[in-house]
Amino acid sequence: MTQQGRDRLAGSILFVLAALWCWGVVATIPVLGAEGRLGPRGFPLGLGLLLAAFSALLIVSSFLSPKDEAVQELKADGPPLGVELWAVLSTLGFLGGYTVLLWAAGFLVATVIIVAAGLVLILGKRNWLFVALMSFGTALVVFVTFNKILGVYLPHGRWIDIWF
Amino acid sequence: MDALLSALPLVADPSVLLAILVGSLIGLIFGSVPGLTYSLALAVVLPMTFQLPTVAAVGMLLGTYIGGMTGGSVAAILIGIPGTPSAAATVLDGYPLARTGRAGLALGTAVLVSTFGGLFSLAVMIVSVDFVSGIAIKFGPAELFALVLFGLSTICGLAEKSLLRGLIAGVIGLLVMTVGLDAIDGVQRMTFGSTAFLQGVDLLVAMVGLFAVPQIMQTLIDWRRGREIRLEAGDVRSEMPKWSELRRNFGVIVRSAALGTGIGAIPGTGGPIAAFLAYDQARRFSKNKEKFGKGELAGVIAPETANNSVTGGSMIPLLSLGIPGDPATAIILGGLLIHGLTPGPLLFMEHKTEVYTIYLSIVVAYVAILAFQYFGIKLFVRVLRVPPHILSVVIGVLCVIGTFAIRNSFFDVYVMMTIGLLGYLLMRARIPVTPIILGLVLGPTLEREFRTALILSDGSYAIFFQSTAALIFFALTILIIAFHFIGQTRARRAAPNAKASIDAG
Amino acid sequence: MRSFGVATSWLAASVAAAALIAVPTAKAQEDFPTKPVEMTILFGGTAQTIGQLLADLMSKELGQPVVPVSRTGGGGAIGYSHVHSTRPDGYNIVWNSNSISSGYHQGNLPFNYEAFEPIARVTVEVPALAVRADSGWESLSDMVEAVKSGETKLKMGASGQGSFTDLTAKALFQELGIEDKVVYVPYGDGKAPVELLAGRVDAAIQWPGQFIPHVQSGDLKMLCVTGSERVEVIDDVPTCAEAGAGDLDITMWRGLAAPEGTPQEVVEKLQEAARKAAESDQLKDASGKLGFEISFMDAQEFGELIAKDDEVIAELLKSGN
């Protein structure tokens, strides 16, 4: 994809999102603008319109930019799509999985499982001693410093609740 | 002078010194973990102070507050994720410095100028508390709106090459913050009838998402492609800033300190605005503008001086008027009250000695933090020797825990992830992230003050042009935008084929 | 591979352990509490400080820690929803307030106060109406006269729409019959007192503690408090009813509640722990300094109060919009 193409894509997506936002604002937020005051709708609607305008400008400006640069292929060292997709999904899976585990099994169990899973499944580590040390170590260090010493509340599990 | 002399032995008491030290350390730790900030640290510390005698309790709270403000720079510099919103501007140059092995220099400079900023603002406060609070009280909704708008104008500087992209980012930031329960009319906005959405997007949640998530993704990509940047033991120096370096930036330091103190004194503004404004002025007046964002030391100095100056500045309305400027100072207020120190005009007459113990505690806290950081830096920089892909697993865990801890809400963690993904996509579309942060920080204040001003004036827009302060800030805003366009036109003429011309606007 | 086996058996053990903890038995109620009790706190500021203090005091009574967990946002809706969704076993309680009713009647909560089992009321806070000392208004009736005869509207500072001070302001001016000559200016973070000091609003309704320092310095004057009785620390300030506002009685209470269906014995244990905490010197000491009053009420009375206040708030919110 060219830089020009990418700007058009980004501009179009943002424009659609802005339009949807504006529709949502008009459909759900009451005006309440009596007595000349600006009600709760004013800001979100104004910002939505601004975003739509700016993204339209981004599309327009991509047509105005000098040909030689704009149509240049994106630098070859951008990551291959497969790697990028893998990284994005791994990260979201890691964070999301951890959150679900925290909810279900509480801090200690969730942290041990997710750190081990991250090291093994995402980073492909096969040194079991290292994986065990890292997962139990992270869980314990964070638990002791934050919960035991500093008194920060850490999530208890809804189904499993191991605590000490 | 009598008050100072009678306060001295009170603060010099070993138990008080210990309390301040413990507070500072707790603050530093909370400050350096993304998501955990001094607001949470203060909430955790407050119950501990119930049992303590007054001077020790107040000292511990102040230590926590100041430690937390200073600690924010550690994560910002080392891993590129600000520990607190006030340190978001520090990432811009601090992180690039760390990536080239100069983390020690950045951290050392940060703590030195933080201390300077803190003590500078304290001095201003001691000398002119009545004068400054008299000015601060004049800042009503219209003036605050003008000030915040001025803050937004720094998007010009942060937008890198294209103002249009910067504006898109800024608007997205402002937009996100309107979700939730509207503070003025109590109406639900874009919640789709869901209770979870009512809490809206917390600034910290969004910030952790924007900085941490794209970074973890990028680390994984680099690692998978064998392009991971690994600093070997020899590359990570714990060098300290040289005096000459600081002297060269003396102007930046003093300007940032003054700016931070002033902004801190106005209730309802706070650290992040001060830091961004300071960063912007440092860049604007610098001879090597193009180095900013790539590891310019002045880019660390300015925000770090400014955000710590806010601590002293915010003490002014807190102590003289009993007005907390932000949630953190509100907790300090609670701590003062519970120990029988009621802030307000009478505090300085009836509790002169206690006021001086507060001043002295702040000095002690800074000394403690300076010492902690000096020895800590050698430890901190070791973090950089951990391979980034392994570190990213731990960062992921800390970010989830930190995000959760803000409001003990799992929903917030999902919001963090969503915003993180959005941030990554925007980055790939070459839309800069920093203006989003600016929008997030300033959005709620901007809207609230604008609407409140209009309620006050019964819908007349004249209210925005009736005070000198507001007019000055509007003028400054226009000036900055004008300079930006002049600068861009000049750059375009000088180099007609320069990359800057790709992006019209 | 061997360590994988270890991990599996470890996991199995933890599941088994959890099963043991999770099975509720009749005995569990007698022994209550056998593990820490979570107290959800809905707001920051004073609410949080008192909540933390109360939790601390109750821990000593119950022999298990009461952990204050702050779940703020949505005017309390987030915290109420969380506690509502937990098991009714007494291990999840909420440091509640009138916000349960205002949240529900504003449409921010899908359930009302009946979704909770009241435990005990612990404290009350009474808003106060203040004006500038140089306003020339010595009493509530002075202000009402001036507003009635004046051309311009009275600018009245309180917190945002639906907040307790905002409801109080609406109720007061309805009672005084001048609500159409008042502009409500919503401020966040307790900024209303400064705005009053600076002269941007003509009057403000906030908590007495926020006004007291400025009253002492001679800048502000409190005209009345909105409860049915005077407030101890400022007993020279009349109630609004005494000052001519009909029979106005608006008081914000804070107390404890558990999800509906919590066993009666458990509620009683918590109620007694709260009673002991309310009687402690420490809470009394804090009340004077933080500006709230201790006013214990047991579960039954508290339940009746909540129901009564709910009607009042429903009425106010209906007429307010």
mmCIF file with all atom_site columns, all heavy atoms in Angstrom, chain C residues 5 16 52 81 104 106 138 140 154 209 233 245 248 258 286 308:
data_model
loop_
_atom_site.group_PDB
_atom_site.id
_atom_site.type_symbol
_atom_site.label_atom_id
_atom_site.label_alt_id
_atom_site.label_comp_id
_atom_site.label_asym_id
_atom_site.label_entity_id
_atom_site.label_seq_id
_atom_site.pdbx_PDB_ins_code
_atom_site.Cartn_x
_atom_site.Cartn_y
_atom_site.Cartn_z
_atom_site.occupancy
_atom_site.B_iso_or_equiv
_atom_site.pdbx_formal_charge
_atom_site.auth_seq_id
_atom_site.auth_comp_id
_atom_site.auth_asym_id
_atom_site.auth_atom_id
_atom_site.pdbx_PDB_model_num
ATOM 1   N N   . GLY C 1 5   ? 3.436   -31.961 34.806 1.00 0.00 ? 5   GLY C N   1
ATOM 2   C CA  . GLY C 1 5   ? 2.612   -32.780 35.693 1.00 0.00 ? 5   GLY C CA  1
ATOM 3   C C   . GLY C 1 5   ? 2.433   -32.112 37.039 1.00 0.00 ? 5   GLY C C   1
ATOM 4   O O   . GLY C 1 5   ? 1.325   -32.092 37.606 1.00 0.00 ? 5   GLY C O   1
ATOM 5   N N   . ALA C 1 16  ? -9.580  -27.885 44.157 1.00 0.00 ? 16  ALA C N   1
ATOM 6   C CA  . ALA C 1 16  ? -10.184 -28.582 45.294 1.00 0.00 ? 16  ALA C CA  1
ATOM 7   C C   . ALA C 1 16  ? -10.279 -27.652 46.490 1.00 0.00 ? 16  ALA C C   1
ATOM 8   O O   . ALA C 1 16  ? -11.319 -27.570 47.166 1.00 0.00 ? 16  ALA C O   1
ATOM 9   C CB  . ALA C 1 16  ? -9.352  -29.805 45.643 1.00 0.00 ? 16  ALA C CB  1
ATOM 10  N N   . GLN C 1 52  ? -12.997 4.414   55.196 1.00 0.00 ? 52  GLN C N   1
ATOM 11  C CA  . GLN C 1 52  ? -11.754 3.747   55.571 1.00 0.00 ? 52  GLN C CA  1
ATOM 12  C C   . GLN C 1 52  ? -11.638 3.626   57.090 1.00 0.00 ? 52  GLN C C   1
ATOM 13  O O   . GLN C 1 52  ? -11.230 2.599   57.618 1.00 0.00 ? 52  GLN C O   1
ATOM 14  C CB  . GLN C 1 52  ? -10.550 4.530   55.027 1.00 0.00 ? 52  GLN C CB  1
ATOM 15  C CG  . GLN C 1 52  ? -10.350 4.344   53.532 1.00 0.00 ? 52  GLN C CG  1
ATOM 16  C CD  . GLN C 1 52  ? -9.200  5.180   52.996 1.00 0.00 ? 52  GLN C CD  1
ATOM 17  O OE1 . GLN C 1 52  ? -8.974  6.300   53.443 1.00 0.00 ? 52  GLN C OE1 1
ATOM 18  N NE2 . GLN C 1 52  ? -8.483  4.647   52.033 1.00 0.00 ? 52  GLN C NE2 1
ATOM 19  N N   . SER C 1 81  ? -23.749 -1.573  41.516 1.00 0.00 ? 81  SER C N   1
ATOM 20  C CA  . SER C 1 81  ? -23.904 -2.699  40.599 1.00 0.00 ? 81  SER C CA  1
ATOM 21  C C   . SER C 1 81  ? -22.979 -3.835  40.979 1.00 0.00 ? 81  SER C C   1
ATOM 22  O O   . SER C 1 81  ? -23.350 -5.003  40.904 1.00 0.00 ? 81  SER C O   1
ATOM 23  C CB  . SER C 1 81  ? -23.608 -2.280  39.166 1.00 0.00 ? 81  SER C CB  1
ATOM 24  O OG  . SER C 1 81  ? -24.478 -1.271  38.776 1.00 0.00 ? 81  SER C OG  1
ATOM 25  N N   . TYR C 1 104 ? -31.155 5.728   41.127 1.00 0.00 ? 104 TYR C N   1
ATOM 26  C CA  . TYR C 1 104 ? -32.238 4.955   40.535 1.00 0.00 ? 104 TYR C CA  1
ATOM 27  C C   . TYR C 1 104 ? -33.246 5.869   39.832 1.00 0.00 ? 104 TYR C C   1
ATOM 28  O O   . TYR C 1 104 ? -33.640 5.626   38.696 1.00 0.00 ? 104 TYR C O   1
ATOM 29  C CB  . TYR C 1 104 ? -32.936 4.125   41.609 1.00 0.00 ? 104 TYR C CB  1
ATOM 30  C CG  . TYR C 1 104 ? -34.179 3.431   41.108 1.00 0.00 ? 104 TYR C CG  1
ATOM 31  C CD1 . TYR C 1 104 ? -34.088 2.356   40.240 1.00 0.00 ? 104 TYR C CD1 1
ATOM 32  C CD2 . TYR C 1 104 ? -35.447 3.869   41.494 1.00 0.00 ? 104 TYR C CD2 1
ATOM 33  C CE1 . TYR C 1 104 ? -35.216 1.731   39.755 1.00 0.00 ? 104 TYR C CE1 1
ATOM 34  C CE2 . TYR C 1 104 ? -36.586 3.250   41.012 1.00 0.00 ? 104 TYR C CE2 1
ATOM 35  C CZ  . TYR C 1 104 ? -36.467 2.178   40.146 1.00 0.00 ? 104 TYR C CZ  1
ATOM 36  O OH  . TYR C 1 104 ? -37.588 1.565   39.666 1.00 0.00 ? 104 TYR C OH  1
ATOM 37  N N   . GLN C 1 106 ? -32.879 8.711   38.617 1.00 0.00 ? 106 GLN C N   1
ATOM 38  C CA  . GLN C 1 106 ? -32.362 9.410   37.441 1.00 0.00 ? 106 GLN C CA  1
ATOM 39  C C   . GLN C 1 106 ? -32.135 8.458   36.289 1.00 0.00 ? 106 GLN C C   1
ATOM 40  O O   . GLN C 1 106 ? -31.617 8.837   35.248 1.00 0.00 ? 106 GLN C O   1
ATOM 41  C CB  . GLN C 1 106 ? -31.037 10.082  37.774 1.00 0.00 ? 106 GLN C CB  1
ATOM 42  C CG  . GLN C 1 106 ? -31.213 11.389  38.483 1.00 0.00 ? 106 GLN C CG  1
ATOM 43  C CD  . GLN C 1 106 ? -29.867 12.021  38.731 1.00 0.00 ? 106 GLN C CD  1
ATOM 44  O OE1 . GLN C 1 106 ? -29.491 12.966  38.075 1.00 0.00 ? 106 GLN C OE1 1
ATOM 45  N NE2 . GLN C 1 106 ? -29.138 11.499  39.675 1.00 0.00 ? 106 GLN C NE2 1
ATOM 46  N N   . GLU C 1 138 ? -28.527 39.001  56.309 1.00 0.00 ? 138 GLU C N   1
ATOM 47  C CA  . GLU C 1 138 ? -28.229 38.475  57.641 1.00 0.00 ? 138 GLU C CA  1
ATOM 48  C C   . GLU C 1 138 ? -28.983 37.178  57.919 1.00 0.00 ? 138 GLU C C   1
ATOM 49  O O   . GLU C 1 138 ? -28.625 36.410  58.793 1.00 0.00 ? 138 GLU C O   1
ATOM 50  C CB  . GLU C 1 138 ? -28.593 39.515  58.719 1.00 0.00 ? 138 GLU C CB  1
ATOM 51  C CG  . GLU C 1 138 ? -27.682 40.732  58.720 1.00 0.00 ? 138 GLU C CG  1
ATOM 52  C CD  . GLU C 1 138 ? -26.227 40.373  58.963 1.00 0.00 ? 138 GLU C CD  1
ATOM 53  O OE1 . GLU C 1 138 ? -25.951 39.515  59.828 1.00 0.00 ? 138 GLU C OE1 1
ATOM 54  O OE2 . GLU C 1 138 ? -25.346 40.929  58.250 1.00 0.00 ? 138 GLU C OE2 1
ATOM 55  N N   . LEU C 1 140 ? -32.018 34.074  56.207 1.00 0.00 ? 140 LEU C N   1
ATOM 56  C CA  . LEU C 1 140 ? -32.592 33.488  55.009 1.00 0.00 ? 140 LEU C CA  1
ATOM 57  C C   . LEU C 1 140 ? -33.671 34.396  54.417 1.00 0.00 ? 140 LEU C C   1
ATOM 58  O O   . LEU C 1 140 ? -33.761 34.583  53.210 1.00 0.00 ? 140 LEU C O   1
ATOM 59  C CB  . LEU C 1 140 ? -33.181 32.110  55.352 1.00 0.00 ? 140 LEU C CB  1
ATOM 60  C CG  . LEU C 1 140 ? -33.695 31.280  54.174 1.00 0.00 ? 140 LEU C CG  1
ATOM 61  C CD1 . LEU C 1 140 ? -32.560 30.949  53.221 1.00 0.00 ? 140 LEU C CD1 1
ATOM 62  C CD2 . LEU C 1 140 ? -34.344 29.997  54.675 1.00 0.00 ? 140 LEU C CD2 1
ATOM 63  N N   . LEU C 1 154 ? -30.908 34.838  41.238 1.00 0.00 ? 154 LEU C N   1
ATOM 64  C CA  . LEU C 1 154 ? -29.898 34.451  42.220 1.00 0.00 ? 154 LEU C CA  1
ATOM 65  C C   . LEU C 1 154 ? -29.045 33.340  41.617 1.00 0.00 ? 154 LEU C C   1
ATOM 66  O O   . LEU C 1 154 ? -29.566 32.325  41.163 1.00 0.00 ? 154 LEU C O   1
ATOM 67  C CB  . LEU C 1 154 ? -30.584 33.938  43.489 1.00 0.00 ? 154 LEU C CB  1
ATOM 68  C CG  . LEU C 1 154 ? -29.654 33.496  44.612 1.00 0.00 ? 154 LEU C CG  1
ATOM 69  C CD1 . LEU C 1 154 ? -29.217 34.690  45.427 1.00 0.00 ? 154 LEU C CD1 1
ATOM 70  C CD2 . LEU C 1 154 ? -30.322 32.471  45.503 1.00 0.00 ? 154 LEU C CD2 1
ATOM 71  N N   . GLY C 1 209 ? -18.305 21.902  56.667 1.00 0.00 ? 209 GLY C N   1
ATOM 72  C CA  . GLY C 1 209 ? -16.856 21.871  56.836 1.00 0.00 ? 209 GLY C CA  1
ATOM 73  C C   . GLY C 1 209 ? -16.137 22.710  55.791 1.00 0.00 ? 209 GLY C C   1
ATOM 74  O O   . GLY C 1 209 ? -15.080 23.276  56.054 1.00 0.00 ? 209 GLY C O   1
ATOM 75  N N   . VAL C 1 233 ? -21.415 21.369  65.588 1.00 0.00 ? 233 VAL C N   1
ATOM 76  C CA  . VAL C 1 233 ? -20.251 22.262  65.541 1.00 0.00 ? 233 VAL C CA  1
ATOM 77  C C   . VAL C 1 233 ? -20.609 23.698  65.191 1.00 0.00 ? 233 VAL C C   1
ATOM 78  O O   . VAL C 1 233 ? -19.824 24.617  65.425 1.00 0.00 ? 233 VAL C O   1
ATOM 79  C CB  . VAL C 1 233 ? -19.173 21.762  64.557 1.00 0.00 ? 233 VAL C CB  1
ATOM 80  C CG1 . VAL C 1 233 ? -18.382 20.634  65.168 1.00 0.00 ? 233 VAL C CG1 1
ATOM 81  C CG2 . VAL C 1 233 ? -19.786 21.369  63.231 1.00 0.00 ? 233 VAL C CG2 1
ATOM 82  N N   . ALA C 1 245 ? -38.184 28.215  55.977 1.00 0.00 ? 245 ALA C N   1
ATOM 83  C CA  . ALA C 1 245 ? -38.348 27.380  54.791 1.00 0.00 ? 245 ALA C CA  1
ATOM 84  C C   . ALA C 1 245 ? -39.271 26.203  55.097 1.00 0.00 ? 245 ALA C C   1
ATOM 85  O O   . ALA C 1 245 ? -38.860 25.048  55.016 1.00 0.00 ? 245 ALA C O   1
ATOM 86  C CB  . ALA C 1 245 ? -36.995 26.902  54.296 1.00 0.00 ? 245 ALA C CB  1
ATOM 87  N N   . LEU C 1 248 ? -38.704 22.006  55.753 1.00 0.00 ? 248 LEU C N   1
ATOM 88  C CA  . LEU C 1 248 ? -37.607 21.378  55.021 1.00 0.00 ? 248 LEU C CA  1
ATOM 89  C C   . LEU C 1 248 ? -36.751 20.522  55.945 1.00 0.00 ? 248 LEU C C   1
ATOM 90  O O   . LEU C 1 248 ? -36.353 20.956  57.019 1.00 0.00 ? 248 LEU C O   1
ATOM 91  C CB  . LEU C 1 248 ? -36.726 22.470  54.391 1.00 0.00 ? 248 LEU C CB  1
ATOM 92  C CG  . LEU C 1 248 ? -35.621 21.934  53.479 1.00 0.00 ? 248 LEU C CG  1
ATOM 93  C CD1 . LEU C 1 248 ? -36.141 21.712  52.086 1.00 0.00 ? 248 LEU C CD1 1
ATOM 94  C CD2 . LEU C 1 248 ? -34.445 22.884  53.454 1.00 0.00 ? 248 LEU C CD2 1
ATOM 95  N N   . ALA C 1 258 ? -26.063 -4.729  52.398 1.00 0.00 ? 258 ALA C N   1
ATOM 96  C CA  . ALA C 1 258 ? -25.554 -5.936  51.761 1.00 0.00 ? 258 ALA C CA  1
ATOM 97  C C   . ALA C 1 258 ? -26.565 -6.352  50.700 1.00 0.00 ? 258 ALA C C   1
ATOM 98  O O   . ALA C 1 258 ? -27.709 -5.908  50.734 1.00 0.00 ? 258 ALA C O   1
ATOM 99  C CB  . ALA C 1 258 ? -25.381 -7.033  52.803 1.00 0.00 ? 258 ALA C CB  1
ATOM 100 N N   . ALA C 1 286 ? -13.043 11.960  64.833 1.00 0.00 ? 286 ALA C N   1
ATOM 101 C CA  . ALA C 1 286 ? -12.969 12.282  63.407 1.00 0.00 ? 286 ALA C CA  1
ATOM 102 C C   . ALA C 1 286 ? -14.184 13.085  62.955 1.00 0.00 ? 286 ALA C C   1
ATOM 103 O O   . ALA C 1 286 ? -14.078 13.956  62.092 1.00 0.00 ? 286 ALA C O   1
ATOM 104 C CB  . ALA C 1 286 ? -12.850 11.002  62.591 1.00 0.00 ? 286 ALA C CB  1
ATOM 105 N N   . LYS C 1 308 ? -38.503 5.892   53.136 1.00 0.00 ? 308 LYS C N   1
ATOM 106 C CA  . LYS C 1 308 ? -39.144 7.211   53.236 1.00 0.00 ? 308 LYS C CA  1
ATOM 107 C C   . LYS C 1 308 ? -38.405 8.239   52.376 1.00 0.00 ? 308 LYS C C   1
ATOM 108 O O   . LYS C 1 308 ? -39.020 8.991   51.615 1.00 0.00 ? 308 LYS C O   1
ATOM 109 C CB  . LYS C 1 308 ? -39.132 7.656   54.719 1.00 0.00 ? 308 LYS C CB  1
ATOM 110 C CG  . LYS C 1 308 ? -40.061 8.824   55.009 1.00 0.00 ? 308 LYS C CG  1
ATOM 111 C CD  . LYS C 1 308 ? -39.878 9.318   56.435 1.00 0.00 ? 308 LYS C CD  1
ATOM 112 C CE  . LYS C 1 308 ? -39.002 10.544  56.426 1.00 0.00 ? 308 LYS C CE  1
ATOM 113 N NZ  . LYS C 1 308 ? -38.245 10.820  57.603 1.00 0.00 ? 308 LYS C NZ  1
#
